[in-house]
Amino acid sequence: MTPTIEETGEYIATAGKAAWDVPGLDANAPQREIKTVGIIGAGTMGGGIAMNFATAGYNVKIVETTQEALDRGLKVVRGNYQRSSDKGRFPQDEVEARMDRFDGRLAIADLADCDLVIEAVFENMDLKRTIFTELDRVMKPGAILATNTSALDIDEIAGMTKRPEDVIGLHFFSPANVMKLLEIVRAKHTADDVVATSMALAAKINKIAALVGVCPGFVGNRILFARQIQANKLLDLGLMPWDVDAALNAFGFKMGPFQMSDLAGLDIGWSKGAKTDNPIRDALCELDRRGQKTQAGFYDYDETRRPIPSDVTAGIIRDITGADASTMSAEEIIEICIYPMINEAVKILEENKAQRPSDVDVVWLNGYGWPADKGGPMFYGDMVGAQAVLDRMEKLGAQDPAFAPAETLRKLAAEGGKFTDIDTGGLKV
């Protein structure tokens, strides 16, 4: 039965409230005092993260490796604030007040007195290990050491320090000064007061927090990876990126998987000459088709960044896959892309990497543009029913064991249970 708009809205509101509740954490326990924040990296991510804190009145020290990179990063921050002021969101003197809270530096050691430091550099484990070794050496006792990694093993990062209890993941979503979601990643040794402080801080900087556990991609990106793999498999069958995106757009996503890839940049995790498990992407990048930033990726782009289906891309897909052009109904494309997301969410709950099913929905509603009328992956799973999801996952699992149905999914289908009622014991580290 399709829920009413009121029922869906009520569920989303309740889910949003529940996400702030951390079982086993004393609401009155003392938190660590945060007055100054250090950010490592003044690129798109670091600058955006820093803006959240400066906007909320915190003093921010931001570190880059060169003066040129630092100046460039702070110029972008000022430009963002200036545009907001020009639109009448706040007066000009507020631009200056916020910029005055920034203190640009060129050495990590200059962050030594900060109460919280957030690393926001490239997704490279060796680089992050080096940085956390340095942070352990220079930061004052009791400082919270956070990483903005979107998928890497935070337990390994924390292992570079002699104070793993001070380490936590604070995964902001790009653009970090706009997106509401903050995935707070509790690692194996993260102290209770670090979790409590981080949750409280999320509210102070006007974010919606979801506490999750360490696994590849955490909650949001792990589910996204499942969708992307299936979207890529559809290209192997002879579908075109715009066919897949159109179906996901019809479902309610403003951007489909390939539109999203072009926006993010196809060269994330790719370097010239690299052969990855995504040969279509590799071939596009070799032609310098790296997404919107080069005005060509899966799509061609005009001056207004309007995506246009590309004959070049179509030719590459045909050459690499050898598949004849084919068609598929939007309904089937949606099942193939969306049902694996539901199944992956169930596996996350089975592994105790999320607190509750509704937290999964909070992550996807606020971090990835899941359509509000469909409530989130778990809520939508209940809309279509566990049996329908199981039937599709049986087929996909037969083609690729990584997509085998979760045991809890089988149980729900057999017993007529609901995804939103799954209780596997909550988040465990």
Side-chain angles (χ1 to χ4, degrees), residues 123 149-152 171 173 181 183 185 212-231 260 336-355 360 363-364 367-368 370 377-378 393 401-408 424 427-428:
E123 281 289 85
T149 180
S150 57
L152 297 176
H171 177 212
F173 287 70
L181 181 68
E183 248 185 345
V185 192
V212 302
V214 175
C215 57
F218 316 128
V219 168
N221 279 343
R222 179 169 162 179
I223 293 170
L224 181 68
F225 297 157
R227 186 182 82 175
Q228 192 64 50
I229 290 167
Q230 289 298 335
M260 200 170 163
I336 288 170
C337 289
I338 300 290
Y339 289 7
M341 299 170 71
I342 298 168
N343 188 54
E344 198 62 36
V346 173
K347 290 180 181 179
I348 288 168
L349 291 163
E350 286 179 339
E351 293 168 25
N352 301 105
K353 299 303 181 187
Q355 297 193 99
V360 172
V363 166
W364 266 81
Y368 297 86
W370 182 279
M378 299 284 84
M393 295 317 299
F403 289 88
E407 281 309 310
T408 303
T424 52
L427 179 61
K428 293 177 186 171

Side-chain angles (χ1 to χ4, degrees), residues 266-395:
L266 299 189
D267 50 358
I268 294 172
W270 176 88
S271 54
K272 195 143 189 64
K275 295 277 183 279
T276 71
D277 55 5
N278 191 345
I280 295 168
R281 185 275 304 262
D282 297 345
L284 291 169
C285 285
E286 290 292 353
L287 292 177
D288 209 33
R289 297 180 64 93
R290 302 188 185 186
Q292 284 192 21
K293 61 188 173 186
T294 56
Q295 287 196 294
F298 283 103
Y299 294 83
D300 296 330
Y301 292 89
D302 61 17
E303 314 73 53
T304 63
R305 293 202 169 189
R306 183 172 63 96
I308 304 157
S310 167
D311 291 340
V312 175
T313 299
I316 286 171
I317 291 170
R318 280 195 294 272
D319 289 348
I320 288 174
T321 65
D324 294 327
S326 66
T327 58
M328 186 182 282
S329 72
E331 288 74 21
E332 190 169 5
I333 292 172
I334 286 165
E335 283 193 15
I336 288 170
C337 289
I338 300 290
Y339 289 7
M341 299 170 71
I342 298 168
N343 188 54
E344 198 62 36
V346 173
K347 290 180 181 179
I348 288 168
L349 291 163
E350 286 179 339
E351 293 168 25
N352 301 105
K353 299 303 181 187
Q355 297 193 99
R356 53 186 75 83
S358 60
D359 279 19
V360 172
D361 291 343
V362 167
V363 166
W364 266 81
L365 285 161
N366 295 289
Y368 297 86
W370 182 279
D373 65 327
K374 296 181 179 71
M378 299 284 84
F379 187 85
Y380 181 69
D382 288 337
M383 285 171 71
V384 297
Q387 189 60 54
V389 178
L390 177 61
D391 291 345
R392 175 59 66 182
M393 295 317 299
E394 293 277 22
K395 289 179 194 163

Side-chain angles (χ1 to χ4, degrees), residues 46-120:
I49 292 170
M51 285 178 71
N52 290 290
F53 291 95
T55 298
Y58 290 90
N59 289 323
V60 177
K61 280 187 180 177
I62 189 162
V63 170
E64 255 301 348
T65 50
T66 66
Q67 188 66 47
E68 185 190 11
L70 183 61
D71 291 344
R72 187 167 60 241
L74 289 173
K75 185 180 173 187
V76 170
V77 169
R78 178 179 280 281
N80 287 338
Y81 280 143
Q82 189 61 56
R83 274 191 295 280
S84 293
S85 177
D86 291 346
K87 288 174 184 167
R89 291 187 187 141
F90 46 77
Q92 179 63 38
D93 60 2
E94 179 63 18
V95 175
E96 302 310 324
R98 293 180 186 188
M99 290 309 298
D100 284 348
R101 293 178 193 130
F102 281 85
D103 180 0
R105 298 296 180 115
L106 296 175
I108 287 176
D110 291 341
L111 304 178
D113 287 335
C114 290
D115 303 306
L116 162 70
V117 63
I118 304 171
E119 163 274 307

Side-chain angles (χ1 to χ4, degrees), residues 156-223:
E156 183 179 340
I157 293 169
M160 303 313 296
T161 76
K162 298 181 197 68
R163 41 171 137 176
E165 67 280 359
D166 293 337
V167 178
I168 196 163
L170 295 178
H171 177 212
F172 289 79
F173 287 70
S174 192
N177 51 309
V178 176
M179 295 296 282
K180 296 296 284 183
L181 181 68
L182 178 58
E183 248 185 345
I184 297 179
V185 192
R186 181 170 201 162
K188 192 173 181 181
H189 300 290
T190 309
D192 279 359
D193 66 340
V194 171
V195 174
T197 304
S198 298
M199 294 292 286
L201 201 55
K204 285 172 188 163
I205 61 171
N206 200 28
K207 296 295 181 192
I208 292 164
L211 186 68
V212 302
V214 175
C215 57
F218 316 128
V219 168
N221 279 343
R222 179 169 162 179
I223 293 170

